[in-house]
């Protein structure tokens, strides 16, 4: 340190190694889902066939709302949408999640793991919490839908009596 300061004071140029900063690049799948998000929007949360999952990560400030619409007869998810406030990885994770849940039963979507979403998007370790949020949002939406269906079934039985 003293040698460096002395050289500066005397006007002697010191060779400094060039600093090289590498840009952090996102995988093409993240960029695609960020630039062209699928299924952005919302359904009426009071609709008995709609399940809503609202999750957030206080550490980074990401908030994700994922909604699923269930077919009354088949019990399959016929539509899904999301609204996310957060980084590109969070938006991409939400977009992928809505695509993956369509056409599946509620039991099937519970098998979707954050690791699968992260792998599909090639998320770096620092962004894995985004895929975890998507998994949590799916689970919360299914739980909400099942609770609504339970109330509907319970109320119809009570009305018959």
């Amino acid at each position: 340190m003293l040698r460096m300061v002395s050289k500066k004071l005397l006007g002697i140029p010191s060779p400094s190694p060039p600093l090289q900063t590498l840009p952090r690049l996102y995988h093409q799948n993240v960029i695609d889902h960020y630039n062209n998000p699928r299924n952005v929007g919302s359904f009426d949360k009071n609709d008995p066939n709609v399940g809503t999952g609202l999750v957030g990560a206080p550490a980074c400030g990401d908030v994700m709302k994922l909604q699923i619409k269930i077919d009354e007869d088949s019990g399959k998810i016929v539509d899904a949408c999301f609204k996310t406030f957060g980084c590109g990885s969070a938006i991409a994770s939400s977009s992928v999640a809505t695509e993956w849940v369509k056409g599946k039963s509620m039991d099937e979507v519970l098998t979707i793991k954050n690791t699968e979403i992260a792998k599909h998007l090639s998320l770096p370790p620092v962004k894995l919490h985004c895929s975890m949020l998507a998994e949590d949002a799916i689970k919360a939406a299914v739980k909400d839908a099942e609770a609504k269906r339970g109330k509907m079934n319970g109320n119809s039985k009570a009305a018959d009596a």
Side-chain angles (χ1 to χ4, degrees), residues 35 39 111 147 156:
N35 287 332
N39 310 306
T111 65
S156 65

Side-chain angles (χ1 to χ4, degrees), residues 128-140:
L128 290 180
H129 67 278
C130 298
S131 62
M132 290 179 201
L133 274 179
E135 180 185 345
D136 291 345
I138 292 169
K139 288 178 180 176

